[in-house]
């Protein structure tokens, strides 16, 4: 390679350009690797992505050991195309990447500040609620519109001037605090174990990670979590309702789940054509009036093909057991099982019916 550059230096006045052809032999292992094209707008941009590597495979450390002729050519090429960082790196702020996009509080004492930004109207309401709950104060909403949220302390004009106004700034695509009078100067007249702004929606958002990890979370555990996080003891009814909201937000509502049931079975049959599914529906009633063009689930039976095949090798015994469904829509889940030659329980079929009746 060095001899080629030396020849070029001697004859470059007579040669307008130099062409270099390199042929590589691809090994069998390399043929199994997916090759991706390098998309580059120019040869200069392609060359700027590579570093000089010495003959022994080590990157050059700039110690001056390069041959003079090669050094001259390399400097000439570098001067022709000076290296510049890509445009996207010029505007890249690494410190900003690790800062929350919309922090809850900007000041050290946990207060709001004029100019603070929020991602949405819901984020504004959530932040104001949490601020109020933690300080054992309260507020009243005077304006809650698609473009504005305006609230005052419940004791505004009677010793407390707490006011907050947050507006949607279209050009910034965020909500910004436009008016804020500072922290509350009032105190609550009575001491309560609950807070009016600590509603089931706020609690549901707080306990969502717990419910997602354990959907069977006890209501008493919800009350304990609220006590630990907000220092308030909520009622059993509010805690129960908050858990139901969290379950619905994570796993979907009862109505949506039942509506999706035929889609799930259709997908199952598409994936496993040998599976067996049988639906029974019935007319829908609202009170004593028949609702037209709507039918609701009455019964459904299904069995997987591996269960059907396994039943051929089971003892001539079939047992049916059921468990009641205690959700919004009542019913009973039935399971038919058998026993193989090793006395192992083998599930055969499943069904959701209206109850453990002879008709079902």
């Amino acid at each position: 390679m060095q001899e080629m550059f030396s020849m070029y230096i001697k004859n470059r006045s007579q040669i307008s350009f130099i062409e270099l052809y390199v042929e590589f032999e691809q090994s069998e292992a390399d043929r199994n690797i997916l090759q991706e094209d390098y998309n580059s707008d120019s040869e200069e941009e392609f060359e700027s992505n590579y570093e000089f590597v010495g003959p022994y495979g080590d990157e050059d450390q700039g110690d001056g050991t390069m041959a003079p002729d090669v050094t001259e050519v390399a400097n000439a090429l570098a001067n022709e195309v000076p290296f510049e960082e890509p445009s996207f790196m010029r505007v890249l702020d690494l410190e900003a990447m690790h800062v929350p996009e919309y922090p809850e509080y900007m000041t050290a004492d946990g207060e709001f500040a004029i100019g603070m930004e929020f991602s949405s109207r819901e984020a504004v309401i959530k932040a104001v609620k949490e601020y109020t709950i933690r300080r054992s104060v309260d507020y009243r909403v005077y304006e809650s519109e698609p473009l504005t949220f305006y609230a005052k302390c419940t004791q505004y004009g009677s010793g407390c001037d707490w006011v907050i106004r947050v507006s949607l700034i279209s050009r910034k695509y965020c909500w910004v605090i436009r008016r804020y009078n500072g922290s509350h100067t009032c105190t609550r007249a009575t001491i309560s174990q609950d807070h009016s702004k600590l509603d089931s929606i706020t609690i549901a958002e707080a306990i969502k990670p717990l419910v997602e990890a354990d959907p069977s979370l006890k209501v008493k555990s919800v009350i304990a979590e609220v006590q630990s996080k907000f220092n308030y003891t909520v009622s059993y009814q509010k805690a129960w309702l908050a858990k139901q909201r969290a379950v619905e937000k994570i796993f979907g509502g009862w109505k949506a789940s039942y509506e999706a049931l035929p889609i799930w079975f259709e997908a199952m049959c598409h994936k496993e054509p040998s599976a067996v599914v049988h639906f029974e529906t019935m007319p829908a009633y609202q009170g004593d009036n028949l609702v037209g063009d709507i039918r609701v689930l009455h019964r459904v039976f299904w069995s997987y093909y591996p269960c059907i095949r396994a039943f051929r090798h089971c003892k001539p015994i079939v047992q049916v057991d059921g468990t009641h469904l205690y959700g919004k829509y009542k019913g009973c889940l039935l399971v038919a099982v058998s026993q193989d030659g090793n006395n192992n329980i083998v599930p055969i079929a499943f069904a959701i019916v209206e109850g453990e009746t002879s008709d079902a």
Side-chain angles (χ1 to χ4, degrees), residues 113-183:
I114 295 177
M116 187 182 297
E117 299 178 354
F118 299 87
S119 58
S120 63
R121 182 175 177 274
E122 290 73 20
V124 173
I125 297 175
K126 178 185 176 183
V128 174
K129 278 186 177 181
E130 291 185 357
Y131 170 89
T132 303
I133 293 168
R134 296 185 186 281
R135 284 162 175 72
S136 299
V137 292
D138 205 351
Y139 66 91
R140 183 177 293 109
V141 178
Y142 284 83
E143 186 178 352
S144 183
E145 301 294 337
L147 302 179
T148 304
F149 179 83
Y150 180 46
K152 297 181 180 179
C153 176
T154 53
Q155 300 184 34
Y156 184 83
S158 302
C160 184
D161 296 329
W162 188 88
V163 174
I164 186 170
R165 177 185 287 274
V166 191
S167 302
L168 175 63
I169 307 301
S170 300
R171 67 177 183 276
K172 299 179 70 175
Y173 301 100
C174 65
W175 288 68
V176 179
I177 296 180
R178 308 303 297 271
R179 180 183 176 188
Y180 187 64
N181 287 2
S183 60

Side-chain angles (χ1 to χ4, degrees), residues 302-320:
W302 74 95
S303 181
Y304 305 105
Y305 183 63
C307 298
I308 298 173
R309 290 192 60 187
F311 182 58
R312 302 172 185 172
H313 309 282
C314 290
K315 300 176 183 179
I317 301 173
V318 176
Q319 295 176 322
V320 180

Side-chain angles (χ1 to χ4, degrees), residues 204 207 211 219 239-249 252 254:
I207 66 172
V211 175
V219 177
W240 179 88
L241 184 59
K243 183 194 171 183
Q244 302 306 311
R245 288 183 179 275
V247 169
E248 182 173 350
K249 196 166 187 178
W254 291 102

